[in-house]
Amino acid sequence: MDHRAPILITGASQRIGLYCAQRLLDEGQPVIVSYRREREGLDILRQRGAITLHADFSDNAGIFAFIERIKAHTDQLRAIVHNASDWHADEAGQQAAAFQHMFQVHMQAPYLINLHCAGLLRHGGAADIVHISDDVTHKGSRKHIAYAASKAGLENLTLSFAADLAPAIKVNGIAPALIQFNPQDDDEYRRRALAKSALGIEPGPQVIYQALRYLLDTPYVTGTTLAVNGGRHLI
Ligand SMILES: NC(=O)C1=CN([C@@H]2O[C@H](COP(=O)(O)OP(=O)(O)OC[C@H]3O[C@@H](n4cnc5c(N)ncnc54)[C@H](OP(=O)(O)O)[C@@H]3O)[C@@H](O)[C@H]2O)C=CC1
Ligand SMILES: Nc1nc2c(c(=O)[nH]1)N=C([C@H](O)[C@@H](O)CO)CN2
């Protein structure tokens, strides 16, 4: 692996984040990932030379502890990909805690990490921040009110940080719709979810890596959120 500055992906112990970390490693790109719970994917990354740092963004102490861990492991970053996310429906009696939690993970963590780690991106070369939001921000969600609102806030952080950090650092977003089902999703849920987009497929995590690769490679895009949504807005 060469001595390029590492790319940080948060929440990359499974699914989309793990896939993107693997693809970056395939290209010889050094990678640092955050994880909350130990998962088997982390051993794969460790065996390939990735640095894995524990992080729980549920409170500010956890976020600041993670920022310190990053700085203890590197003095430069090529990019920061804010992928970590909790996806819970709004539960009766739990709304206040749920909204606070969604805010912590989807807004407070990216906000504080960007503020405190932007200096690691200022090394004279290409530098990027990428926020992974959700296509649902455009219409809201009756069952995931707190989640959708926090992802909308994340998309607004893209605009503010892009203006503030230009031209040294590009700041963009990726807004997925259905990318990858969860194991517990039953056949009826899957049928209904697939019917919500014009292209009607479960594409898998490679489409997010393709969007990430584009944002990392282009020198002329900032403040933009790419919709990777199968044409969901057309239905
Ligand atoms: N999958 C899809 O179809 C879609 C995904 N997206 C977005 O794409 C991104 C990747 O999706 P996906 O791979 O499914 O994500 P996951 O649901 O697998 O979550 C990614 C990781 O985030 C970590 N995480 C959750 N809460 C916290 C926390 N409090 N502190 C630190 N880490 C935490 C989880 O850790 P742990 O392992 O401990 O649970 C998990 O491994 C997310 O931002 C998601 O919102 C948007 C639309 C569709
Ligand atoms: N953190 C997560 N966010 C989201 C997930 C997920 O699994 N983890 N999944 C979705 C769904 O795919 C939804 O887009 C369609 O069912 C949304 N966000």
Side-chain angles (χ1 to χ4, degrees), residues 1 5 8 22 30 33 39 45 50-51 67 82 92 94 106 110 113 142 161 176 183 187 206 209-210 234:
M1 191 175 303
L8 167 65
Q22 293 255 52
V33 303
R39 294 180 186 272
L45 297 180
I51 293 173
I67 290 167
H82 294 287
Q94 302 290 326
H106 298 147
I113 291 168
R142 293 171 56 199
F161 277 109
D187 289 348
Q206 64 273 16
Y209 182 72
Q210 289 164 340
L234 303 173

Side-chain angles (χ1 to χ4, degrees), residues 25-39:
L25 290 168
D26 291 345
E27 297 170 3
Q29 167 62 52
V31 167
I32 297 176
V33 303
S34 89
Y35 68 94
R36 181 177 58 173
R37 285 173 283 199
E38 186 67 31
R39 294 180 186 272

Side-chain angles (χ1 to χ4, degrees), residues 14-16 36-37 39 57 83 85 151 177 179-180:
Q14 63 179 8
R15 294 164 58 80
I16 292 172
R36 181 177 58 173
R37 285 173 283 199
R39 294 180 186 272
F57 300 139
N83 170 78
S85 169
K151 288 286 192 173
I179 301 299
Q180 184 174 5

Side-chain angles (χ1 to χ4, degrees), residues 15 85-87 134 147 177-180 182 189 193 232:
R15 294 164 58 80
S85 169
D86 245 339
W87 187 51
D134 189 312
Y147 167 86
L178 171 65
I179 301 299
Q180 184 174 5
N182 280 284
Y189 176 87
R232 197 167 187 154

